[in-house]
């Protein structure tokens, strides 16, 4: 049975007439992908305010529609051409497009929609898109999940899918057929005309003195020497460097020549003359990107002048090479500012974009990541942590010595090294340097040093004394019942051996029983997840912990789609009692009640103001009332909104905008209001606020929570070189916190480093623990 259509009712006006995603691919004639629209009606269709949008054929939970805005209109029976992503191959330009985007569409499978408005669609299923009123027309090709009726077969690097006639039956397979691409613009042009003569120039003239090439979009011819190749993946190519540089320190002497999925038949030391089109490549939509671009040549052809010559010497980068100031701070886009490589670190790297650089005997400031990355520091004395990392200590104190390293050596020849923070990458590592959206400037190693293990060990905290209450916080990284037993065992070992069996543990990122596999199935319970975890703790020699938590409403608390993550409590009933008061659920707010004996919670456990807009698509704090040796202790478990969507430290906007901070600041105000109510009811109340606050000690979020001294952030009590619980892009930083009210006595606090610095980890966060004597 054919699935129902995903688009609007059959269109009698503007329709998608042709889709081609093979532009610039191997074997293609055309250089660009394109979408062609047509007007099946009798009057002119105004396209202003509409957009063409693209979704991968098999969208994942993280897939997003990409949007190209339209202008102008299309006459009755006329055509309208939208140029999209450009590839490395092909020799024929599109006719002059009526609109231009940068979407790299798949040649074989995808979904294209004509949409009212420019805001990206959010649907990723047939049913979801069928219910979307903004869709004017839609076509799915190849094995596309989202389509009208059945998808169109036959799309490829050399074949588009085109509408047989300007009729729309809402069955893509019936309305479209595969064939030779025939791009046509509003003027009726079908080819781009003869290829222009290339401009003979030099690489430093292509690179220019800002981040953007003055020759962007032009066909050029440049000489140079091949320095390195990328021979795997979908972004293959080679780096070309001019052996005769100019005298301007702002201009790079090298370029990346992009050949798509084709491995170029060149070798380091070959001298070439390369003809290609200059392009500023962005890792996402150029119009909205937060990231820097890479100047490259596409659609390249070359002549080999000689083979086997010398490769230019790499630039040696040491402790004093890179400036200590990160970037200019104009309050906006820095791309068109003249480079100042002697003043700013980002300018320094841009002025050496694609050139060979080398580092020697550098310390690793991160674990080797799951994406085959190493982060090193070229400045060993820059904000060092106690265990070999580099600390992130303030928005105005960035670490300009951090450099990411990836490998150009196929892993079949040289497996990527596994390493911990504080290890040393010995010997020489060299290769071209590029900007990467993940981690910033990256040395792509064609020569990779050896990792020396410096013997980093996991920490173990001391056991709490008889009269001390021990409260820990632990982000268990998307734990759900079907996780491998090894993960449960490693987390349990952390609780039993390294945290010495705390009395109370606030947990973050506990998922429902079937985790992300059950997206939208209505399963929200986490009892199986917590049962497996507490069983693993017993098996590791720990106590039989009990738990308290509240199931969220389905898909309302953010995190991994379908996982329904939440916070919760574990507690050792032989050491501490939980005060159960019924009534807590996903939407009922806990209240503070004043009694003759002090404060108490109206429900326990209970969520803190869960319907406040501050918690939209985010975890809600969970308050619990505990009794330890006859003394009441209030614990609030937290997991604030993530930093997703913030502009990167190394991006093209400086200073970066922290978009996510506003929600965390609202969350901090709500939580602080609840704590103030507790302390107003009992100024001597023992209050512990713990969890993943997703923000730094110097952030407005933490300042809001600690303002006036009602709560103390315990991370501030540690020596500066021990203040971290998480490592991101080589920066050892604090996202997890424990805060306490003034009441507890003899407070002893510890961040227990067992995960964040290690290649093998049970979670990406380190747990923390506080031991104290509650006030009676």
């Amino acid at each position: 049975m054919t699935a129902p259509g995903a688009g609007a009712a059959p269109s009698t006006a503007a329709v998608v007439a042709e889709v081609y995603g093979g532009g610039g691919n191997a074997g293609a004639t055309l250089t660009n992908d394109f979408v062609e629209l047509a007007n099946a009606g009798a009057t002119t269709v105004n396209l202003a305010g509409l957009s063409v949008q693209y979704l991968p054929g098999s969208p994942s939970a993280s897939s997003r529609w990409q949007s190209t805005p339209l202008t102008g209109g299309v006459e009755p029976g006329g055509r309208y051409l939208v140029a999209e992503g450009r590839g490395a191959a092909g020799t024929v330009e599109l006719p002059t497009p009526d609109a231009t985007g940068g979407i790299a569409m798949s040649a074989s499978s995808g979904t294209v929609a004509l949409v009212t408005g420019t805001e990206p669609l959010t649907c990723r299923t047939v049913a979801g898109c069928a219910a979307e009123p903004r869709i004017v027309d839609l076509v799915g090709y190849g094995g596309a999940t989202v389509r009208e009726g059945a998808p169109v077969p036959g799309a490829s690097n050399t074949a588009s899918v085109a509408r047989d006639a300007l009729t729309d039956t809402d069955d893509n397979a019936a309305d479209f057929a595969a064939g030779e691409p025939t791009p046509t613009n509003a003027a009726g042009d079908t080819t781009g005309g003869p290829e222009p003569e290339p401009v003979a120039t030099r690489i430093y003239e292509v690179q220019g003195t800002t981040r953007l090439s003055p020759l962007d979009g032009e066909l050029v011819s440049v000489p140079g020497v091949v320095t390195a190749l990328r021979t795997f993946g979908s972004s293959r190519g080679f780096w070309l460097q001019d052996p005769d540089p100019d005298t301007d320190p702002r201009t790079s002497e090298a370029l990346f020549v992009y050949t798509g999925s084709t491995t170029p038949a060149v070798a380091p030391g070959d001298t070439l003359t390369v003809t290609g089109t200059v392009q500023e490549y962005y890792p996402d939509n150029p119009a909205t990107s937060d990231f820097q671009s890479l100047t490259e040549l596409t659609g390249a052809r070359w002549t080999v002048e000689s083979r086997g010559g010398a490769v230019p010497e790499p630039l040696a980068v040491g402790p004093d090479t890179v400036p200590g100031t990160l970037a200019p701070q104009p309050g906006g886009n820095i791309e068109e500012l003249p480079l100042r490589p002697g003043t700013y670190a980002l300018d320094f790297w841009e002025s050496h974009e694609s050139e060979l650089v080398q580092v020697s005997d550098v310390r690793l400031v991160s674990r080797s990541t799951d994406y085959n990355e190493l982060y090193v520091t070229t400045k060993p004395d820059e904000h060092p942590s106690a265990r070999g990392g580099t600390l992130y200590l303030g928005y105005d104190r960035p670490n300009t010595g951090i450099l990411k390293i990836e490998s150009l050596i196929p892993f079949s020849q040289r497996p990527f090294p596994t390493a911990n923070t504080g290890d040393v990458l010995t010997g020489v590592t060299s290769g071209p340097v590029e900007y990467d959206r993940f981690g910033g400037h990256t040395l792509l190693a064609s020569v990779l040093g050896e990792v020396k293990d410096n013997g980093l060990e996991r920490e173990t905290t001391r056991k709490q004394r008889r009269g001390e209450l021990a409260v820990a916080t632990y982000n268990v990284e998307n734990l759900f019942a079907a996780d491998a037993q090894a993960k449960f065992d490693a987390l349990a070992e952390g609780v039993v051996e390294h945290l010495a069996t705390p009395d109370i543990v606030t947990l973050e990122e506990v998922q429902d029983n079937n985790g992300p596999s059950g997206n939208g199935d209505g399963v929200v319970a986490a009892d199986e997840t917590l049962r497996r975890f507490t069983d693993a703790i017993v098996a590791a020699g720990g106590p039989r912990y009990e738990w308290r938590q509240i199931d969220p409403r389905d898909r309302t608390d953010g995190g991994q789609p379908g996982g329904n993550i939440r916070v919760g409590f574990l507690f050792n009933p032989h050491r501490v009692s939980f005060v159960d008061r019924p009534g807590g659920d996903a939407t009922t707010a806990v209240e503070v009640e004043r009694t003759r004996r002090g404060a108490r919670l109206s429900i326990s456990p209970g969520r803190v103001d869960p319907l406040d807009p501050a918690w939209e698509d985010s975890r809600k704090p969970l308050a619990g009332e505990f009794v330890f040796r006859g003394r009441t202790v209030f614990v609030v478990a937290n997991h604030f909104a993530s930093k997703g969507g913030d502009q990167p430290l190394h991006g093209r906007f400086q200073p970066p905008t922290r978009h996510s901070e506003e929600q965390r600041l609202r969350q901090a105000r709500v939580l602080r209001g609840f704590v103030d109510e507790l302390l107003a009811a009992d100024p001597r109340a023992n209050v512990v606020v713990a969890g993943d606050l997703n923000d730094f000690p110097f952030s407005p979020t933490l300042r809001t929570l600690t303002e006036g001294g009602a709560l103390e952030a315990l991370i501030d009590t540690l020596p500066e070189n021990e203040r971290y619980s998480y490592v991101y892009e080589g920066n050892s930083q604090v996202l997890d916190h424990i805060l306490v009210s003034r009441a507890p006595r003899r407070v002893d606090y510890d961040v227990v480093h067992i995960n964040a610095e290690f290649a093998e980890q049970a979670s990406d966060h380190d747990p923390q623990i506080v031991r104290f004597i509650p006030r009676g």
Side-chain angles (χ1 to χ4, degrees), residues 32-57:
N32 285 73
D33 301 340
F34 70 85
V35 176
E36 185 181 305
L37 307 177
N39 183 354
T43 60
T44 300
V45 174
N46 182 10
L47 297 176
L50 276 69
S51 61
V52 161
Q53 301 195 18
Y54 170 80
L55 182 71

Side-chain angles (χ1 to χ4, degrees), residues 22-168:
N25 291 359
T29 300
L30 295 171
T31 58
N32 285 73
D33 301 340
F34 70 85
V35 176
E36 185 181 305
L37 307 177
N39 183 354
T43 60
T44 300
V45 174
N46 182 10
L47 297 176
L50 276 69
S51 61
V52 161
Q53 301 195 18
Y54 170 80
L55 182 71
S58 299
S60 67
S62 62
S63 296
R64 298 292 183 267
W65 287 85
Q66 298 179 69
S67 175
T68 298
L70 307 179
T71 58
V74 56
E75 299 296 324
R79 304 286 169 146
Y80 183 100
L81 185 64
V82 184
E84 294 294 359
R86 186 182 184 93
T91 57
V92 177
E93 299 287 333
L94 297 177
T96 302
D98 302 298
T100 302
I103 303 171
M105 305 193 307
S106 168
S108 58
S109 176
T111 302
V112 170
L114 176 62
V115 179
T116 301
T118 59
E119 185 69 20
L121 298 168
T122 58
C123 57
R124 293 192 291 271
T125 64
V126 168
C129 291
E132 174 52 73
R134 294 197 298 134
I135 295 177
V136 177
D137 191 28
L138 179 145
V139 56
Y141 59 96
T145 297
V146 179
R147 74 277 180 196
E148 291 180 344
V152 191
S156 69
N157 286 356
T158 56
S160 68
V161 295
R163 197 178 288 272
D164 290 334
L166 296 188
T167 55
D168 183 14

